[in-house]
Amino acid sequence: MTTFLHISDTHISGNPAYHPPWMTAGTNHPNVGAKKLLRAIKQLPYAIDFILHTGDVCAEPLADDYHCARDLLDNLPAPIILMPGNHDSGDLLDAIMHDGTGRHVLRDAHLRLGGLHVIALDTSGGGDHAPSLRPQQLDWLESALESCQDGQVIVAAHNPLLKTGVAWLDDSMRVQNGAAAHAILARHSHRIAGVLHGHIHQPTLSCADGVSYISCPSTWSNLAAYPDLAVDEPDPHCPPGYNLLMLRETRLFARRCALPATDA
C-alpha cells in the first residue's frame, strides 16, 4: 500500500523579475504557484510515502534557479524524486539537488521504494520540446522492466509518449518515437501500475494496451487541450495543482487536486 503525490512543471526561478516573453501579461511569477503547492503538501491530513516531480523543476538551466528550488523544497514531509524536463539542466539538477535521501534525481534510472519500483525515463532531450529516445534508452527500458519481477512498477517521463488527441500537443510536445517505448511498456503491462508524465501543462488520463497514462497540471500556468487545437494557447480554466496517487495491491487510484485560487 503506497500513497504518493505527482507534481510537475513548477518552473521555479531564482530571478524575482522572471517573465518570459512567451507568457501572457499578468501571469504570476512561477514561484507563487510553487509556494502554494508546498503549503498544500505540508497541510495534508494524511501521510505520503514520496513525491514524484516529472520535470521542468526550474525555469532556466541556471545554478541560481536550482539553489532556489532546493531552498523551496527543503523540509517536505516525504522524500522527493526529481526528473529533468526540457527547461532543466540535468547536470545542475543532479549536482545541486540530489542528496540520495530526501531528494533523489533520476535520469534513466531505477529506484526501489519498499515493494514499489520507480523507473524514470529521461525524455528531457537537451531542451527539445519534442525529443526522440535513443536506441540505448529503449534497450535500457526493456532491461529495467525485466528486472522488476516482484512488486508493481511506476514509470515516469517528462513528455507524453503517445498521442493525446490534441493536434498541437502531438506535433510539438510528445516523444517522437514514443510508440517504440509504449510497445515495450505494453509487453510488461501486467506489472505497470501507471505511466506518469508532465510537460503538457494539463491533467489527462488515457489507456492503451493495458497501460494507463496520467499527466499532471503545472503549478504555474496551464495550456489548452481541446480537440483539433492546432496552436498553443493558455487555459485559464485549468487550475494549477497536483495528483494524489494511491497504489492498493495492483490498482492505482488517481485523484486530481487543485491548488487554492488565493493564499487563504
Side-chain angles (χ1 to χ4, degrees):
M1 187 169 73
T2 304
T3 301
F4 65 102
L5 303 182
H6 173 204
I7 66 176
S8 200
D9 299 274
T10 49
H11 292 264
I12 294 167
S13 176
N15 176 5
Y18 177 73
H19 191 282
W22 39 268
M23 287 302 299
T24 57
T27 302
N28 283 332
H29 191 279
N31 293 11
V32 173
K35 290 176 181 177
K36 285 184 180 181
L37 171 69
L38 298 174
R39 282 194 294 271
I41 292 173
K42 291 176 182 178
Q43 294 170 5
L44 291 174
Y46 51 85
I48 53 174
D49 295 295
F50 66 93
I51 302 162
L52 173 65
H53 192 314
T54 51
D56 282 357
V57 176
C58 290
E60 302 285 350
L62 302 172
D64 283 351
D65 284 14
Y66 293 97
H67 286 293
C68 180
R70 186 180 63 189
D71 291 344
L72 285 175
L73 297 173
D74 270 349
N75 302 314
L76 285 169
I80 185 168
I81 297 169
L82 301 143
M83 301 175 59
N86 57 289
H87 283 267
D88 286 309
S89 161
D91 290 342
L92 286 174
L93 183 67
D94 197 7
I96 295 173
M97 301 200 68
H98 178 82
D99 66 11
T101 54
R103 296 186 301 269
H104 302 268
V105 174
L106 301 187
R107 304 162 67 188
D108 291 336
H110 173 194
L111 179 68
R112 180 153 189 173
L113 296 169
L116 178 67
H117 301 270
V118 179
I119 292 178
L121 182 62
D122 185 359
T123 64
S124 58
D128 192 350
H129 280 273
S132 293
L133 294 168
R134 303 185 307 277
Q136 299 94 317
Q137 289 182 284
L138 295 171
D139 291 342
W140 173 82
L141 177 62
E142 181 84 67
S143 177
L145 287 166
E146 287 284 358
S147 73
C148 300
Q149 296 296 324
D150 59 325
Q152 290 294 106
V153 179
I154 293 291
V155 178
H158 180 59
N159 300 64
L161 298 178
L162 295 182
K163 289 185 176 181
T164 66
V166 180
W168 85 269
L169 292 178
D170 295 340
D171 290 342
S172 305
M173 301 285 269
R174 69 184 171 93
V175 175
Q176 295 303 290
N177 62 343
H182 172 74
I184 296 169
L185 297 172
R187 289 197 291 273
H188 298 272
S189 61
H190 58 287
R191 60 172 63 104
I192 297 174
V195 179
L196 308 184
H197 69 90
H199 190 50
I200 61 174
H201 290 224
Q202 186 70 214
T204 62
L205 172 64
S206 64
C207 187
D209 303 310
V211 181
S212 295
Y213 291 86
I214 301 170
S215 70
C216 183
S218 171
T219 56
W220 180 26
S221 65
N222 288 299
L223 298 169
Y226 54 80
D228 303 320
L229 180 64
V231 295
D232 65 299
E233 63 180 58
D235 183 355
H237 304 295
C238 177
Y242 59 96
N243 292 336
L244 164 63
L245 286 303
M246 297 168 287
L247 182 60
R248 302 296 185 261
E249 296 181 348
T250 60
R251 293 186 65 190
L252 184 67
F253 299 85
R255 180 185 176 192
R256 313 296 193 193
C257 301
L259 295 179
T262 66
D263 289 342

